[in-house]
Amino acid sequence: MKILWPWLASAASGLLGAGCFPPFNQSWLCWIGLTPLIVAVWFSGANSRRRWLRNLLLGYLAGIVFFTATFAWLGALGDLYQSFFLHGLSFLLSIYLALHFAFWAWFVGFLKPSSFVTSWRNLLVAFLGASAWVTHEWTRGWLFSGFGWNGLGVALHAEWPMIQIAEFTGVVGLSFAIAFANIIAVSTPLRLFAEARTHRMRPHFDLTLTMIGIVGLLAFGLHRAQRPPTGKSIRVAAVQASVPQLQKFDPQFARDVFEKFQRLSEIAVGANPPPDLLVWPESSMPDPVRDQNSESYRFVMDFSTKTKTDLMLGTLDADEGHDYNAALLVSNNGELVQIYRKMHLVPFGEYIPLRHSFPLFAAIASVWVPGDFTAGTKHTVFTLTNGDVRVAPLICFEDTVGDLVRRFVVNGANLLVDITNDGWFLHSSGSGQHLANAIFRCVENRRPMVRAANTGVTCFVNEFGRVTQILQDDTGNTFTEGVLTGDINVPLATASPSDGGQDQQLTFYTRHREWFAEVCAGITLIAIVVVFALRKLGRGSSPEPPANANPARID
């Protein structure tokens, strides 16, 4: 058991982390989730000849467990396509993603202090450890196209008073606070035990300041959310047609698809008052809407000319030999069509990386992804017939990418609209995790969001990250068909970016991007350089340390 406990503790951290997110939603676990891994890294393997490698492996195991469990919903693709191989996608993805966990465990291994009885030392260890955690989350969000879902801060997605600091730091600011608290949660009992043995008690500034910081986050959030809403109210309707994934592009089901959207949309536009904006989900039509010879073109244009509502929808688009995943905005008279082409494509979903460099791999993957979409190049902002409202047309997972959404807001968007199709993942927790990650874009930019999904979750989120309305049936099931209608308060700019003015309602995060993560990355890099320099200096001026010595300590 003495040999196994560190590895069991590492796996426990992975399981505790997974418990924070849908379908479990036990957000309180995030405050203790890293503690078993920290204990395993600091208090095992004293006689290991390569302790740094052991720490890497402990972190890697925690990452394997966390990502495999958290992203288990990817296995729904195996059910969809009746493929045994696809059931293992979450494990295959974790083989790469777990490297980020391994880096953090390796780094934390260098931080163990020789004594826990000094407040400043514990605070420094927690500060450096939290900075390294932010560094790995931020890097995971962009490296190799990025997949930054389910950072520690996202665990608090339903605790709206706690997440308001994201308007300054982005969601990684919350991850910093949680990682910091986890390290203090390990050092405090050790300090109390040491003080009990020596009968010398000192002020616990480390614990006190940590608690003050957490209470401060809560107080700031409650104060921030008390500001009265300003702006303009518009009426929006979002359609969730719940078309089975394998029927969406099958010609024999095209009439059924048209009938569903016709029926549900007539319910929306027949309301009094009618909506200013009607939203259909990603890839809602069976064929490209801009192809004037297609049935989808005739259906959309006939519907649009009969209504007095702007229509935003997702569609496939083709141009000069390239295929795009696109969003269209059709004006309420059907005369003006605005188009946005998705910029952040999902690897192995919308394209195969290095398809032409590895033909054998591409041939296998092409069974599920026969062709590649081309990425768009412009952060196009849609302008509604009501010129005061400018829409950021996000497609699918784009509402989980902080910097991408920020750029739309800088370009003048005051309403976020995400059209998505989570039908790929059937009735799994994938749609709930998608929403959990998307909520923070509203807080970071102080912009409301409309989400129109094919199978859920269709909802409205306000600028404080609160889900104000959600489409569900009488049992609370979000995997249903229907229409969600409501009023959205849209902030109005004090100056138009197109006129050279600066919108005074832009948040600190919107103006300065991922500054907090970049600072944490710089601090982490400096800390690594200093630690290795001290180790080299120590080796040059003293005999070789015994095998059971800690590789580096903050004394």
Side-chain angles (χ1 to χ4, degrees):
M1 191 64 184
K2 184 177 180 180
I3 297 176
L4 287 178
W5 81 261
W7 307 99
L8 294 175
S10 173
S13 274
L15 292 174
L16 289 172
C20 298
F21 302 97
F24 309 107
N25 282 320
Q26 300 300 309
S27 61
W28 62 274
L29 290 175
C30 70
W31 300 104
I32 60 171
L34 295 178
T35 57
L37 176 59
I38 298 169
V39 171
V41 168
W42 281 356
F43 299 104
S44 71
N47 297 320
S48 175
R49 293 183 60 85
R50 292 183 177 85
R51 192 169 181 179
W52 63 270
L53 179 58
R54 191 175 191 276
N55 292 339
L56 271 172
L57 293 176
L58 285 169
Y60 193 70
L61 175 60
I64 288 284
V65 173
F66 172 76
F67 290 114
T68 300
T70 303
F71 298 137
W73 48 268
L74 287 170
L77 289 170
D79 296 326
L80 183 67
Y81 288 109
Q82 297 297 303
S83 168
F84 175 80
F85 174 79
L86 292 178
H87 279 102
L89 279 180
S90 63
F91 175 73
L92 293 175
L93 182 62
S94 73
I95 290 174
Y96 158 64
L97 293 178
L99 292 172
H100 296 273
F101 261 72
F103 157 77
W104 188 75
W106 168 81
F107 182 83
V108 167
F110 289 121
L111 297 181
K112 180 188 174 184
S114 57
S115 170
F116 293 92
V117 297
T118 306
S119 290
W120 74 264
R121 187 179 294 130
N122 294 340
L123 288 170
L124 178 59
V125 169
F127 176 78
L128 293 176
S131 296
W133 184 271
V134 167
T135 300
H136 106 65
E137 281 194 359
W138 173 62
T139 305
R140 179 162 66 89
W142 56 262
L143 189 64
F144 303 130
S145 84
F147 191 57
W149 280 37
N150 296 351
L152 270 181
V154 177
L156 299 176
H157 64 94
E159 315 300 329
W160 66 265
M162 289 292 296
I163 67 177
Q164 303 308 314
I165 194 67
E167 73 167 284
F168 297 101
T169 65
V171 66
V172 293
L174 292 161
S175 298
F176 179 95
I178 296 170
F180 191 103
N182 270 265
I183 296 175
I184 295 299
V186 172
S187 63
T188 296
L190 295 169
R191 179 176 182 178
L192 290 172
F193 178 74
E195 290 175 338
R197 291 181 61 186
T198 60
H199 302 288
R200 291 184 60 191
M201 299 293 293
R202 299 179 181 180
H204 285 230
F205 294 116
D206 47 355
L207 178 61
T208 302
L209 291 176
T210 301
M211 297 303 296
I212 289 175
I214 294 173
V215 173
L217 288 178
L218 178 61
F220 171 77
L222 291 172
H223 171 74
R224 185 68 177 83
Q226 288 178 354
R227 292 188 181 182
T230 58
K232 180 176 185 176
S233 179
I234 67 166
R235 194 152 185 83
V236 178
V239 171
Q240 181 169 299
S242 198
V243 178
Q245 183 58 38
L246 297 183
Q247 296 181 13
K248 289 182 68 65
F249 303 110
D250 189 331
Q252 66 177 323
F253 293 103
R255 301 314 307 172
D256 293 337
V257 172
F258 294 146
E259 186 277 328
K260 272 194 174 186
F261 278 98
Q262 180 82 30
R263 172 171 48 84
L264 294 172
S265 298
E266 286 178 350
I267 295 173
V269 299
N272 187 18
D276 301 291
L277 174 64
L278 177 65
V279 186
W280 294 350
E282 177 189 13
S283 302
S284 52
M285 295 290 99
D287 41 22
V289 172
R290 292 212 308 159
D291 180 358
Q292 297 188 12
N293 296 318
S294 70
E295 287 187 87
S296 295
Y297 172 82
R298 291 189 291 273
F299 172 75
V300 170
M301 291 306 168
D302 287 347
F303 177 84
S304 182
T305 55
K306 295 175 184 176
T307 66
K308 296 183 179 180
T309 299
D310 289 338
L311 171 63
M312 178 175 163
L313 72 153
T315 179
L316 303 180
D317 192 57
D319 186 30
E320 297 182 352
H322 296 281
D323 294 320
Y324 300 92
N325 189 355
L328 298 181
L329 180 71
V330 183
S331 63
N332 60 22
N333 54 16
E335 295 180 358
L336 177 64
V337 176
Q338 302 170 59
I339 184 170
Y340 162 71
R341 291 164 174 165
K342 188 181 182 188
M343 301 180 66
H344 187 85
L345 301 179
V346 179
F348 305 105
E350 293 172 311
Y351 74 101
I352 301 296
L354 305 175
R355 180 189 291 268
H356 302 293
S357 301
F358 300 95
L360 179 60
F361 168 74
I364 297 173
S366 293
V367 174
W368 301 287
V369 187
D372 293 341
F373 281 116
T374 300
T377 58
K378 295 181 180 179
H379 296 84
T380 305
V381 176
F382 291 164
T383 301
L384 299 191
T385 302
N386 179 336
D388 291 332
V389 181
R390 293 168 58 82
V391 172
L394 310 172
I395 302 176
C396 194
F397 291 172
E398 287 188 324
D399 63 351
T400 68
V401 184
D403 189 63
L404 177 77
V405 177
R406 182 194 70 85
R407 291 172 183 263
F408 281 104
V409 177
V410 169
N411 285 354
N414 53 8
L415 174 63
L416 312 178
V417 178
D418 183 67
I419 54 176
T420 186
N421 173 30
D422 292 339
W424 294 99
F425 311 112
L426 306 179
H427 292 185
S428 69
S429 61
S431 60
Q433 288 185 20
H434 187 179
L435 172 61
N437 285 269
I439 279 173
F440 291 88
R441 309 295 83 78
C442 299
V443 183
E444 290 167 349
N445 300 283
R446 294 301 178 197
R447 297 293 189 264
M449 178 184 290
V450 174
R451 300 185 82 248
N454 177 39
T455 59
V457 179
T458 294
C459 64
F460 301 151
V461 186
N462 70 10
E463 67 272 27
F464 301 113
R466 298 182 68 179
V467 178
T468 56
Q469 290 180 247
I470 189 168
L471 180 65
Q472 54 190 4
D473 61 20
D474 295 337
T475 65
N477 179 25
T478 60
F479 299 103
T480 183
E481 70 172 55
V483 182
L484 184 66
T485 304
D487 295 318
I488 306 292
N489 186 72
V490 179
L492 300 181
T494 55
S496 172
S498 61
D499 295 334
Q502 179 66 60
D503 182 359
Q504 299 303 310
Q505 294 194 32
L506 295 182
T507 66
F508 189 90
Y509 172 85
T510 306
R511 295 175 191 270
H512 301 286
R513 46 184 287 175
E514 298 283 355
W515 71 274
F516 186 81
E518 292 167 356
V519 169
C520 286
I523 291 170
T524 302
L525 181 60
I526 292 171
I528 292 173
V529 171
V530 169
V531 166
F532 275 95
L534 291 175
R535 289 186 66 196
K536 187 174 182 180
L537 182 63
R539 287 176 177 176
S541 60
S542 61
E544 191 72 20
N548 62 348
N550 198 296
R553 293 181 176 182
I554 296 178
D555 295 320

